[in-house]
Amino acid sequence: MDDEQKLREQADEKLINDAFQHLLDSYLASRHRKKEDLITKAFNFARQAHKGVRRLSGEPYIMHPIAVAQIACEEVGLGSTSICAALLHDVVEDTDYTVEDIENIFGPKIAQIVDGLTKISGGIFGEQASAQAENFKKLLLTMSEDIRVILIKICDRLHNMRTLQSQPANKQYKIAGETLYIYAPLSNRLGLYKIKSELEDLSFKYEHPDEYAAIERKLASTQAARHELFDTFKAPIEESLNEMGIKYKIKERIKTPYSIWHKMQTKHVSFEEIYDILAVRIIFTPQKREEETNECFNIYVAISKIYKSHPDRLRDWISHPKANGYQALHVTLMSKQGRWIEVQIRSDRMDEIAEQGFAAHWKYKEGEDAEYSEDQSELDDWLRTIKEILDDPQPDAMDFLDAVKMNLFASEIFVFTPKGEIRTMPTGSTALDFAFSIHTFLGSHCIGAKVNHKLVPLSHKLQSGDQVEILTSKAQHVQPAWINYVSSAKAKAKIQSILRRDGRELQKAGEEKITEFLADNGIAYSLEVVDSLAMFHDINRREDFFQAVGEKTILLSEKDIDELKGKKGKGWRKFVPFIGKGKDSKKATAGNNDQQQLFIVPEKFNRKKPIFVSDTNIQQYVFPSCCHPIPGDDILGFIDNKHQIEIHKRACPVADKLKTSYGNRILDAKWDMHKKLYFDATIRLAGIDRIGMLRDMAEVISNLMNVNMRKLTITTNEGVFEGVIDIRIHDRDDLKDIINNLKKIPDLQDVTQIM
């Protein structure tokens, strides 16, 4: 046994030393100033701190910090401060060492980053709905101190995703869902395109393994045809660029499995119908750095002479870079094979930013003071937005998470001020969003706007290129309805903050009025008395009652005193709640009879084991109306507040939120059905109208497939028809067979399932 132990320790030692040597080699090959002594010191410290601890996969724990540091160095391009922080990122959380110990040994800057990472760490959070959102809030707060905290956190998440196979399935869905909801968009916003794509693909692989494998197989089987198309397409471009004397590389870019699947889901198309799987990148080295914009357009002009370009598909991200720093010229060209191919033209500098994000330009002084490079304006704007949102604590942390996600990860439009200054706004922004983006005072007193010199209401949606002038009045005040007129997180946060402040003032005024009214009528003020009055006016919350009195929507009168003193307490109003309860109680009793069939999760329930939904126990589970899963769909279970189990599709938007907020309540769920029960499904059809089309469709569904049609709706217009068929099927395979057979009918152009 001792010999076996020694051999294992020697193997571990070699594994750890090789991994650390690879990290050092990568660091020494980078452009950063060489501080290998500091990195070696951090490695030895972390190795000692994690000694004897293993990961779920069985490898020594220190392999995880080394891997995170490797990603930070090699894939994000960070320097020694970040590499040391990555090596030490779990020390404070998992061992007896403190942040003060780190500061004494490695200095304040590394300690600050490790402290930030410790604040936002932890895999399993409490039962509360907002645990994960609160964590996200901490993440953003810490991030606004030093951006390297979030970059290392993304590296940490990437390594966790790469090693997710050792986790049980329910934990995989939770971590994958969280990654797709928060970390992939965050990586995209920071310009870490490669990491964003890998996070998306890994999440997809664990949540939908069969669909991931199917797309991988199809990509492999169509690879030869794509290569041939690419070679034929690029040959005349190479000839033209060689003549121009440009130094360049032409690469093919293949759409990732996740983005293919996402397009298949959102556009309701098959793999074969996706035409932009292949894109072409032209990466050139400009002769002079200041000429790179001109060279981009010169290349565009040259290739437009070879292939016809799509008039609506020119995207100029050079003059107006994306908020994550991305710059390129995108043009879609018609190849000789009759296929549209997107070409991305960018310089080597732009390519580095596209691959590594802002990190490619963050050149830190690796010492006491970390300084950003001059390429900071976009990032600073972003961090300012975060700070503004955090200034007003949101009452509901999930609202906060949605607001931040919507605002920071949205695509942008470009809008001009009356003086011609350009401002970036999230897509879907309104005139009121624009007013709040300039100043809170301007937003809260806005009465309308002029867009391109035409008067528009507050709710008018802005388009890229609009010139906006805000009109104000001192008499104007923020209205509750305004929350529906804005889409940006900043404007929503400001409006809610002002409404809450106004509400507090009205509540205070209402409370004073009630106190005065009771004193005038010889009744002592107490919370019980206030609650009785609130019930008398059919208001459940005390604060709402105070506010209603404050804003004079409720006027106190003798009836209130009669109610309190019980003189006329048996009026009709007394019976309304009672009658309501009576009705509700009947419903509740009926409901309880149904609910007796529902499975209630016991206290000591093994959440790591999968649950099986079968023909005999399907009644025991709750099927919410958000996603209508049918046998064959990838599903998961969720333990709700009543300890019942809801069944959702893994791709359901509601399930995405549940995975992010209540990760420890997610269960692995599998089907165990035997084609005994029927489920509803809807198919959408479109095609050329002709005699016999309806007969052909009925022939396939009713006779060939032996399936009952429950409802059929067809509309025709100028020789083209659209239709919807409701059918009853056993599972997803039945549905696929029906769709495939329908596609064989001549003149039936489009057959898709409605989700």
Side-chain angles (χ1 to χ4, degrees):
M1 181 65 190
D2 285 347
D3 288 345
E4 200 177 306
Q5 187 85 24
K6 273 182 188 172
L7 283 170
R8 187 176 182 182
E9 281 178 10
Q10 284 170 1
D12 285 350
E13 197 78 10
K14 184 176 185 324
L15 186 74
I16 294 165
N17 289 336
D18 287 353
F20 180 63
Q21 191 56 51
H22 177 48
L23 171 64
L24 270 185
D25 292 344
S26 303
Y27 172 66
L28 293 170
S30 73
R31 292 196 299 256
H32 290 278
R33 279 191 289 153
K34 307 300 172 258
K35 291 191 177 176
E36 57 190 297
D37 293 348
L38 185 67
I39 292 172
T40 307
K41 184 178 169 185
F43 163 66
N44 288 326
F45 184 86
R47 182 188 207 168
Q48 191 58 40
H50 295 301
K51 195 172 178 141
V53 183
R54 293 186 178 274
R55 299 188 86 209
L56 276 180
S57 60
E59 69 178 12
Y61 192 88
I62 186 65
M63 293 300 290
H64 169 64
I66 296 172
V68 174
Q70 183 70 41
I71 294 167
C73 172
E74 191 176 9
E75 298 181 50
V76 184
L78 297 172
S80 61
T81 303
S82 303
I83 293 168
C84 291
L87 287 167
L88 300 165
H89 79 273
D90 278 336
V91 166
V92 173
E93 190 192 359
D94 294 346
T95 73
D96 294 332
Y97 288 105
T98 64
V99 174
E100 287 71 29
D101 295 331
I102 303 288
E103 186 168 346
N104 291 335
I105 301 166
F106 296 99
K109 183 48 64 181
I110 290 173
Q112 183 194 341
I113 297 172
V114 171
D115 185 34
L117 287 159
T118 306
K119 280 180 191 162
I120 57 175
S121 67
I124 307 166
F125 301 97
E127 290 289 326
Q128 308 85 6
S130 59
Q132 203 61 311
E134 284 300 340
N135 215 53
F136 188 67
K137 197 183 246 186
K138 282 185 205 163
L139 177 116
L140 294 175
L141 273 166
T142 317
M143 175 182 168
S144 52
E145 294 304 318
D146 190 324
I147 198 72
R148 288 174 289 190
V149 172
I150 191 64
L151 290 169
I152 296 166
K153 185 64 187 169
I154 288 170
C155 298
D156 179 40
R157 176 51 59 119
L158 179 59
H159 185 246
N160 284 337
M161 287 301 295
R162 285 174 178 173
T163 54
L164 199 57
Q165 69 272 11
S166 54
Q167 293 280 1
N170 63 325
K171 198 72 85 56
Q172 288 176 350
Y173 304 151
K174 177 242 181 214
I175 294 169
E178 195 179 276
T179 300
L180 212 49
Y181 192 71
I182 295 175
Y183 290 96
L186 202 51
S187 305
N188 185 48
R189 197 62 166 80
L190 289 167
L192 303 168
Y193 183 77
K194 270 171 82 174
I195 289 178
K196 168 240 179 195
S197 298
E198 189 177 348
L199 288 173
E200 285 175 342
D201 271 355
L202 287 167
S203 299
F204 173 43
K205 180 182 176 180
Y206 284 104
E207 291 215 271
H208 304 283
D210 295 341
E211 292 176 56
Y212 178 84
I215 290 174
E216 286 274 73
R217 280 196 302 273
K218 284 181 178 173
L219 280 173
S221 67
T222 55
Q223 189 175 10
R226 273 198 313 277
H227 279 327
E228 192 181 327
L229 175 64
F230 173 66
D231 290 340
T232 312
F233 181 78
K234 73 172 180 175
I237 295 177
E238 286 177 329
E239 203 177 304
S240 178
L241 297 183
N242 290 339
E243 278 176 25
M244 292 165 74
I246 292 171
K247 190 179 170 188
Y248 67 91
K249 283 183 290 191
I250 298 184
K251 295 181 183 174
E252 58 180 320
R253 187 229 66 186
I254 308 303
K255 219 172 177 60
T256 62
Y258 171 79
S259 57
I260 291 170
W261 176 79
H262 185 66
K263 193 160 191 176
M264 286 164 67
Q265 300 302 307
T266 51
K267 305 278 188 197
H268 302 297
V269 293
S270 66
F271 179 91
E272 290 70 28
E273 292 169 290
I274 296 176
Y275 289 110
D276 59 347
I277 287 175
L278 171 72
V280 173
R281 278 188 190 143
I282 301 174
I283 300 156
F284 68 93
T285 306
Q287 289 165 348
K288 290 181 184 169
R289 191 55 64 194
E290 59 272 15
E291 290 293 313
E292 67 179 356
T293 302
N294 290 341
E295 284 199 38
C296 268
F297 282 98
N298 289 343
I299 292 170
Y300 164 61
V301 170
I303 61 177
S304 298
K305 287 176 183 171
I306 303 166
Y307 298 110
K308 188 160 179 58
S309 64
H310 194 299
D312 301 325
R313 295 294 298 274
L314 176 66
R315 298 282 180 271
D316 177 9
W317 299 114
I318 291 175
S319 311
H320 301 296
K322 287 186 180 181
N324 61 16
Y326 179 84
Q327 282 185 291
L329 195 62
H330 290 197
V331 56
T332 304
L333 303 172
M334 177 57 78
S335 68
K336 300 285 191 274
Q337 288 88 340
R339 292 276 294 271
W340 288 109
I341 294 179
E342 185 182 75
V343 178
Q344 301 165 358
I345 307 166
R346 48 169 97 144
S347 69
D348 47 7
R349 179 190 68 84
M350 295 171 192
D351 189 57
E352 192 180 2
I353 295 174
E355 295 298 309
Q356 284 196 332
F358 278 121
H361 283 279
W362 291 330
K363 308 292 184 248
Y364 288 108
K365 286 182 180 175
E366 292 286 337
E368 290 290 308
D369 299 304
E371 287 186 11
Y372 296 126
S373 72
E374 65 217 34
D375 213 323
Q376 278 294 297
S377 58
E378 294 285 2
L379 185 70
D380 289 340
D381 286 347
W382 191 43
L383 293 178
R384 201 174 304 115
T385 306
I386 291 169
K387 283 179 176 166
E388 282 167 353
I389 295 166
L390 293 167
D391 281 343
D392 297 306
Q394 294 278 344
D396 186 334
M398 276 315 291
D399 285 353
F400 170 84
L401 181 60
D402 281 344
V404 173
K405 190 172 184 296
M406 172 182 69
N407 195 66
L408 300 185
F409 308 150
S411 49
E412 297 93 356
I413 56 170
F414 301 99
V415 185
F416 295 93
T417 66
K419 290 181 180 175
E421 293 164 7
I422 194 162
R423 292 188 83 91
T424 307
M425 302 284 295
T427 302
S429 292
T430 62
L432 192 56
D433 281 308
F434 181 78
F436 274 105
S437 80
I438 293 172
H439 199 280
T440 305
F441 179 85
L442 202 66
S444 52
H445 292 85
C446 176
I447 52 170
K450 281 185 177 176
V451 173
N452 307 326
H453 311 295
K454 286 181 187 167
L455 195 61
V456 297
L458 304 179
S459 56
H460 176 82
K461 281 211 169 138
L462 302 175
Q463 305 291 325
S464 254
D466 281 348
Q467 189 165 28
V468 187
E469 181 187 348
I470 298 299
L471 309 173
T472 59
S473 162
K474 284 185 181 174
Q476 178 70 295
H477 293 290
V478 172
Q479 307 296 318
W482 284 15
I483 210 79
N484 303 316
Y485 298 166
V486 292
S487 67
S488 69
K490 179 183 175 181
K492 277 197 170 166
K494 292 293 179 194
I495 291 168
Q496 283 170 339
S497 171
I498 293 164
L499 289 173
R500 281 199 301 275
R501 193 179 65 223
D502 292 349
R504 282 195 295 272
E505 288 170 8
L506 286 167
Q507 284 170 28
K508 197 175 171 190
E511 193 173 5
E512 286 169 3
K513 275 187 187 173
I514 294 164
T515 309
E516 197 179 309
F517 173 76
L518 292 172
D520 289 347
N521 287 280
I523 297 172
Y525 176 92
S526 74
L527 294 179
E528 287 77 14
V529 168
V530 172
D531 289 343
S532 299
L533 284 174
M535 266 183 72
F536 179 61
H537 288 279
D538 289 341
I539 293 177
N540 296 325
R541 287 177 74 248
R542 194 183 298 148
E543 292 79 5
D544 294 343
F545 180 57
F546 286 151
Q547 189 160 335
V549 174
E551 59 195 12
K552 298 178 186 170
T553 52
I554 286 179
L555 298 172
L556 300 171
S557 66
E558 282 181 26
K559 285 181 185 174
D560 294 276
I561 301 303
D562 292 342
E563 166 68 19
L564 291 172
K565 292 183 175 176
K567 286 179 185 172
K568 294 180 186 171
K570 296 193 173 6
W572 66 272
R573 199 181 262 281
K574 272 279 181 191
F575 290 97
V576 175
F578 176 74
I579 293 164
K581 277 180 190 166
K583 285 178 184 170
D584 289 343
S585 64
K586 280 180 191 170
K587 281 182 194 168
T589 311
N592 285 339
N593 291 338
D594 294 335
Q595 283 173 18
Q596 282 167 9
Q597 298 172 15
L598 292 172
F599 176 69
I600 303 297
V601 176
E603 206 169 311
K604 291 183 178 175
F605 183 70
N606 186 345
R607 300 186 182 199
K608 290 183 182 178
K609 277 190 173 178
I611 55 167
F612 289 90
V613 182
S614 67
D615 303 292
T616 50
N617 72 7
I618 194 166
Q619 302 292 341
Q620 294 180 8
Y621 301 109
V622 179
F623 284 80
S625 58
C626 48
C627 57
H628 300 295
I630 63 173
D633 285 329
D634 290 331
I635 52 169
L636 54 78
F638 169 70
I639 302 170
D640 67 14
N641 293 335
K642 295 176 185 172
H643 303 288
Q644 296 160 0
I645 296 177
E646 295 178 3
I647 303 295
H648 291 266
K649 285 184 186 177
R650 282 183 223 155
C652 165
V654 173
D656 281 345
K657 271 197 181 184
L658 297 176
K659 284 178 280 195
T660 307
S661 314
Y662 304 90
N664 57 336
R665 294 205 218 163
I666 299 294
L667 304 171
D668 182 18
K670 299 184 187 307
W671 297 103
D672 181 23
M673 308 295 282
H674 301 93
K675 293 189 182 282
K676 289 179 183 173
L677 302 177
Y678 285 93
F679 296 83
D680 293 333
T682 305
I683 295 174
R684 182 183 283 131
L685 309 145
I688 309 299
D689 190 19
R690 61 167 170 79
I691 294 168
M693 175 60 84
L694 205 54
R695 185 197 62 230
D696 291 351
M697 290 192 299
E699 179 77 25
V700 165
I701 294 169
S702 300
N703 297 353
L704 182 65
M705 305 302 299
N706 199 23
V707 170
N708 281 333
M709 280 193 285
R710 296 179 61 235
K711 185 181 171 190
L712 172 63
T713 314
I714 299 278
T715 54
T716 62
N717 183 22
E718 295 180 0
V720 174
F721 80 90
E722 283 187 351
V724 172
I725 304 177
D726 289 350
I727 54 174
R728 308 212 75 175
I729 42 129
H730 291 300
D731 53 29
R732 178 72 55 199
D733 289 341
D734 282 1
L735 193 61
K736 274 184 190 161
D737 288 345
I738 292 166
I739 288 174
N740 289 338
N741 278 292
L742 284 170
K743 283 182 175 177
K744 293 173 186 172
I745 296 173
D747 298 326
L748 191 55
Q749 304 290 326
D750 190 22
V751 186
T752 50
Q753 183 222 342
I754 298 173
M755 301 304 283

